[in-house]
Amino acid sequence: MAKELKDLFLETLKDIYYAEKQILRALPKMAREAQSPELTKAFETHREETEGHVDRLQQIFEMLEKPARGKTCDAILGIIDEGKEVMEEFKGAPALDAGLTAAAQAVEHYEISRYGTLKTWAAQLGLTDAAKLLDQTLQEEIKTDALLSKLATSSINKNAA
């Protein structure tokens, strides 16, 4: 049986669902480790948003009449592991927050890539409601990435230098 775009859409949906669940687990530790109050707040806020992302993904699985189930996403595991290394190697160091910010942006860029692709595929497949939900999440991920960039360039990188 030939694999179609709808199959690829579902597999990628499972991938990002797993990724979001892993991110939910990683953010509290990142918030605790961050030295900058603004960075801590950004991680805490994004954790709340991520809960909403998981809810939206569950709604899309319901629309597709499929169980909300993730599949192991090696990419996000690698990105999260890099963040853990930064936390271990730079604990208490001036550069810790710069490393945490960079790790968080790597996560955001992965998510932006995935949500952009999923939104496009949903539209192509005529899944208008799913495309709207995916776009909502995409816009939040873009906003979080912009906030992290602003924090990095306004204070975090200077404090690390």
Side-chain angles (χ1 to χ4, degrees):
M1 188 172 110
K3 295 275 188 178
E4 298 174 354
L5 186 59
K6 66 180 181 186
D7 302 306
L8 188 57
F9 178 78
L10 182 60
E11 289 306 303
T12 306
L13 203 62
K14 291 177 183 178
D15 176 274
I16 197 66
Y17 185 72
Y18 178 90
E20 291 286 21
K21 296 283 211 162
Q22 295 302 309
I23 293 161
L24 271 177
R25 291 175 55 204
L27 280 167
K29 182 165 176 48
M30 292 173 78
R32 280 193 307 274
E33 294 289 326
Q35 297 167 329
S36 153
E38 297 87 4
L39 187 57
T40 297
K41 185 174 179 350
F43 289 152
E44 289 168 349
T45 300
H46 195 57
R47 186 181 191 291
E48 291 168 21
E49 285 180 347
T50 302
E51 289 171 352
H53 302 167
V54 169
D55 289 343
R56 286 187 202 123
L57 290 169
Q58 289 169 341
Q59 289 176 50
I60 296 168
F61 279 113
E62 284 174 30
M63 289 174 194
L64 299 172
E65 298 178 357
K66 300 286 183 190
R69 201 174 294 136
K71 81 172 196 185
T72 303
C73 170
D74 292 326
I76 206 66
L77 291 176
I79 293 169
I80 289 172
D81 281 347
E82 285 180 6
K84 287 177 185 171
E85 277 179 36
V86 167
M87 285 188 274
E88 288 168 17
E89 291 176 25
F90 290 87
K91 188 171 182 70
L96 174 64
D97 283 356
L100 284 173
T101 305
Q105 285 195 280
V107 169
E108 291 310 309
H109 294 177
Y110 180 77
E111 290 179 297
I112 290 166
S113 165
R114 281 291 185 237
Y115 282 111
T117 296
L118 283 165
K119 173 188 152 185
T120 302
W121 288 346
Q124 178 67 40
L125 294 166
L127 304 169
T128 311
D129 291 339
K132 284 179 189 163
L133 290 171
L134 292 162
D135 185 56
Q136 257 183 295
T137 300
L138 175 62
Q139 297 313 314
E140 288 178 5
E141 301 293 10
I142 291 169
K143 193 173 132 203
T144 297
D145 182 53
L147 172 63
L148 291 168
S149 287
K150 184 176 173 235
L151 287 174
T153 57
S154 67
S155 62
I156 289 174
N157 292 343
K158 289 176 187 142
N159 294 340

PDB file of all heavy atoms in Angstrom, residues 113-127:
ATOM      1  N   SER A 113       9.757  24.530  12.750  1.00  0.00           N
ATOM      2  CA  SER A 113       9.879  23.746  11.523  1.00  0.00           C
ATOM      3  C   SER A 113       8.740  22.726  11.416  1.00  0.00           C
ATOM      4  O   SER A 113       8.068  22.623  10.380  1.00  0.00           O
ATOM      5  CB  SER A 113      11.238  23.042  11.507  1.00  0.00           C
ATOM      6  OG  SER A 113      11.261  22.037  10.532  1.00  0.00           O
ATOM      7  N   ARG A 114       8.522  21.991  12.476  1.00  0.00           N
ATOM      8  CA  ARG A 114       7.481  20.959  12.475  1.00  0.00           C
ATOM      9  C   ARG A 114       6.081  21.552  12.320  1.00  0.00           C
ATOM     10  O   ARG A 114       5.285  21.070  11.525  1.00  0.00           O
ATOM     11  CB  ARG A 114       7.546  20.124  13.757  1.00  0.00           C
ATOM     12  CG  ARG A 114       8.638  19.084  13.747  1.00  0.00           C
ATOM     13  CD  ARG A 114       8.291  18.012  12.734  1.00  0.00           C
ATOM     14  NE  ARG A 114       9.235  16.937  12.777  1.00  0.00           N
ATOM     15  CZ  ARG A 114       9.943  16.531  11.726  1.00  0.00           C
ATOM     16  NH1 ARG A 114       9.840  17.141  10.580  1.00  0.00           N
ATOM     17  NH2 ARG A 114      10.752  15.524  11.825  1.00  0.00           N
ATOM     18  N   TYR A 115       5.778  22.580  13.113  1.00  0.00           N
ATOM     19  CA  TYR A 115       4.428  23.146  13.050  1.00  0.00           C
ATOM     20  C   TYR A 115       4.158  23.831  11.712  1.00  0.00           C
ATOM     21  O   TYR A 115       3.049  23.775  11.193  1.00  0.00           O
ATOM     22  CB  TYR A 115       4.167  24.097  14.227  1.00  0.00           C
ATOM     23  CG  TYR A 115       3.855  23.340  15.493  1.00  0.00           C
ATOM     24  CD1 TYR A 115       4.747  23.328  16.557  1.00  0.00           C
ATOM     25  CD2 TYR A 115       2.678  22.613  15.622  1.00  0.00           C
ATOM     26  CE1 TYR A 115       4.475  22.615  17.718  1.00  0.00           C
ATOM     27  CE2 TYR A 115       2.388  21.899  16.769  1.00  0.00           C
ATOM     28  CZ  TYR A 115       3.287  21.902  17.814  1.00  0.00           C
ATOM     29  OH  TYR A 115       3.012  21.184  18.957  1.00  0.00           O
ATOM     30  N   GLY A 116       5.176  24.457  11.129  1.00  0.00           N
ATOM     31  CA  GLY A 116       5.007  25.060   9.810  1.00  0.00           C
ATOM     32  C   GLY A 116       4.679  24.009   8.765  1.00  0.00           C
ATOM     33  O   GLY A 116       3.763  24.180   7.942  1.00  0.00           O
ATOM     34  N   THR A 117       5.404  22.912   8.808  1.00  0.00           N
ATOM     35  CA  THR A 117       5.173  21.809   7.874  1.00  0.00           C
ATOM     36  C   THR A 117       3.788  21.203   8.081  1.00  0.00           C
ATOM     37  O   THR A 117       3.033  21.011   7.125  1.00  0.00           O
ATOM     38  CB  THR A 117       6.263  20.724   8.067  1.00  0.00           C
ATOM     39  OG1 THR A 117       7.526  21.287   7.734  1.00  0.00           O
ATOM     40  CG2 THR A 117       5.993  19.506   7.208  1.00  0.00           C
ATOM     41  N   LEU A 118       3.443  20.918   9.336  1.00  0.00           N
ATOM     42  CA  LEU A 118       2.143  20.306   9.627  1.00  0.00           C
ATOM     43  C   LEU A 118       0.983  21.206   9.199  1.00  0.00           C
ATOM     44  O   LEU A 118      -0.016  20.726   8.668  1.00  0.00           O
ATOM     45  CB  LEU A 118       2.039  19.967  11.116  1.00  0.00           C
ATOM     46  CG  LEU A 118       2.792  18.718  11.558  1.00  0.00           C
ATOM     47  CD1 LEU A 118       2.934  18.688  13.078  1.00  0.00           C
ATOM     48  CD2 LEU A 118       2.109  17.457  11.044  1.00  0.00           C
ATOM     49  N   LYS A 119       1.125  22.497   9.430  1.00  0.00           N
ATOM     50  CA  LYS A 119       0.078  23.458   9.026  1.00  0.00           C
ATOM     51  C   LYS A 119      -0.117  23.416   7.508  1.00  0.00           C
ATOM     52  O   LYS A 119      -1.246  23.362   7.008  1.00  0.00           O
ATOM     53  CB  LYS A 119       0.470  24.860   9.486  1.00  0.00           C
ATOM     54  CG  LYS A 119      -0.437  25.949   9.001  1.00  0.00           C
ATOM     55  CD  LYS A 119       0.145  27.311   9.344  1.00  0.00           C
ATOM     56  CE  LYS A 119      -0.317  28.347   8.354  1.00  0.00           C
ATOM     57  NZ  LYS A 119       0.309  29.643   8.564  1.00  0.00           N
ATOM     58  N   THR A 120       0.987  23.415   6.777  1.00  0.00           N
ATOM     59  CA  THR A 120       0.932  23.375   5.317  1.00  0.00           C
ATOM     60  C   THR A 120       0.284  22.082   4.835  1.00  0.00           C
ATOM     61  O   THR A 120      -0.575  22.099   3.941  1.00  0.00           O
ATOM     62  CB  THR A 120       2.352  23.521   4.722  1.00  0.00           C
ATOM     63  OG1 THR A 120       2.898  24.758   5.185  1.00  0.00           O
ATOM     64  CG2 THR A 120       2.335  23.499   3.204  1.00  0.00           C
ATOM     65  N   TRP A 121       0.687  20.969   5.426  1.00  0.00           N
ATOM     66  CA  TRP A 121       0.110  19.680   5.027  1.00  0.00           C
ATOM     67  C   TRP A 121      -1.374  19.605   5.385  1.00  0.00           C
ATOM     68  O   TRP A 121      -2.166  19.073   4.618  1.00  0.00           O
ATOM     69  CB  TRP A 121       0.871  18.535   5.677  1.00  0.00           C
ATOM     70  CG  TRP A 121       2.239  18.314   5.097  1.00  0.00           C
ATOM     71  CD1 TRP A 121       2.751  18.819   3.937  1.00  0.00           C
ATOM     72  CD2 TRP A 121       3.273  17.511   5.657  1.00  0.00           C
ATOM     73  NE1 TRP A 121       4.053  18.377   3.758  1.00  0.00           N
ATOM     74  CE2 TRP A 121       4.393  17.569   4.793  1.00  0.00           C
ATOM     75  CE3 TRP A 121       3.374  16.742   6.826  1.00  0.00           C
ATOM     76  CZ2 TRP A 121       5.577  16.889   5.044  1.00  0.00           C
ATOM     77  CZ3 TRP A 121       4.563  16.057   7.079  1.00  0.00           C
ATOM     78  CH2 TRP A 121       5.654  16.130   6.197  1.00  0.00           C
ATOM     79  N   ALA A 122      -1.745  20.113   6.563  1.00  0.00           N
ATOM     80  CA  ALA A 122      -3.154  20.095   6.969  1.00  0.00           C
ATOM     81  C   ALA A 122      -3.995  20.868   5.945  1.00  0.00           C
ATOM     82  O   ALA A 122      -5.068  20.414   5.532  1.00  0.00           O
ATOM     83  CB  ALA A 122      -3.318  20.683   8.370  1.00  0.00           C
ATOM     84  N   ALA A 123      -3.492  22.024   5.527  1.00  0.00           N
ATOM     85  CA  ALA A 123      -4.208  22.822   4.525  1.00  0.00           C
ATOM     86  C   ALA A 123      -4.328  22.041   3.213  1.00  0.00           C
ATOM     87  O   ALA A 123      -5.403  21.994   2.598  1.00  0.00           O
ATOM     88  CB  ALA A 123      -3.500  24.152   4.304  1.00  0.00           C
ATOM     89  N   GLN A 124      -3.244  21.408   2.795  1.00  0.00           N
ATOM     90  CA  GLN A 124      -3.237  20.622   1.551  1.00  0.00           C
ATOM     91  C   GLN A 124      -4.248  19.472   1.626  1.00  0.00           C
ATOM     92  O   GLN A 124      -4.900  19.137   0.643  1.00  0.00           O
ATOM     93  CB  GLN A 124      -1.828  20.060   1.305  1.00  0.00           C
ATOM     94  CG  GLN A 124      -1.696  19.185   0.074  1.00  0.00           C
ATOM     95  CD  GLN A 124      -1.889  19.958  -1.216  1.00  0.00           C
ATOM     96  OE1 GLN A 124      -1.425  21.072  -1.347  1.00  0.00           O
ATOM     97  NE2 GLN A 124      -2.596  19.356  -2.170  1.00  0.00           N
ATOM     98  N   LEU A 125      -4.395  18.891   2.822  1.00  0.00           N
ATOM     99  CA  LEU A 125      -5.305  17.760   3.015  1.00  0.00           C
ATOM    100  C   LEU A 125      -6.750  18.195   3.279  1.00  0.00           C
ATOM    101  O   LEU A 125      -7.622  17.356   3.484  1.00  0.00           O
ATOM    102  CB  LEU A 125      -4.806  16.882   4.177  1.00  0.00           C
ATOM    103  CG  LEU A 125      -3.483  16.157   3.938  1.00  0.00           C
ATOM    104  CD1 LEU A 125      -2.920  15.615   5.242  1.00  0.00           C
ATOM    105  CD2 LEU A 125      -3.671  15.032   2.909  1.00  0.00           C
ATOM    106  N   GLY A 126      -6.975  19.518   3.291  1.00  0.00           N
ATOM    107  CA  GLY A 126      -8.322  20.015   3.528  1.00  0.00           C
ATOM    108  C   GLY A 126      -8.737  19.977   4.993  1.00  0.00           C
ATOM    109  O   GLY A 126      -9.923  20.068   5.310  1.00  0.00           O
ATOM    110  N   LEU A 127      -7.783  19.859   5.886  1.00  0.00           N
ATOM    111  CA  LEU A 127      -8.049  19.820   7.331  1.00  0.00           C
ATOM    112  C   LEU A 127      -7.961  21.241   7.884  1.00  0.00           C
ATOM    113  O   LEU A 127      -7.048  21.592   8.613  1.00  0.00           O
ATOM    114  CB  LEU A 127      -7.046  18.888   8.029  1.00  0.00           C
ATOM    115  CG  LEU A 127      -6.984  17.452   7.515  1.00  0.00           C
ATOM    116  CD1 LEU A 127      -5.791  16.708   8.098  1.00  0.00           C
ATOM    117  CD2 LEU A 127      -8.290  16.720   7.845  1.00  0.00           C
TER     118      LEU A 127
END
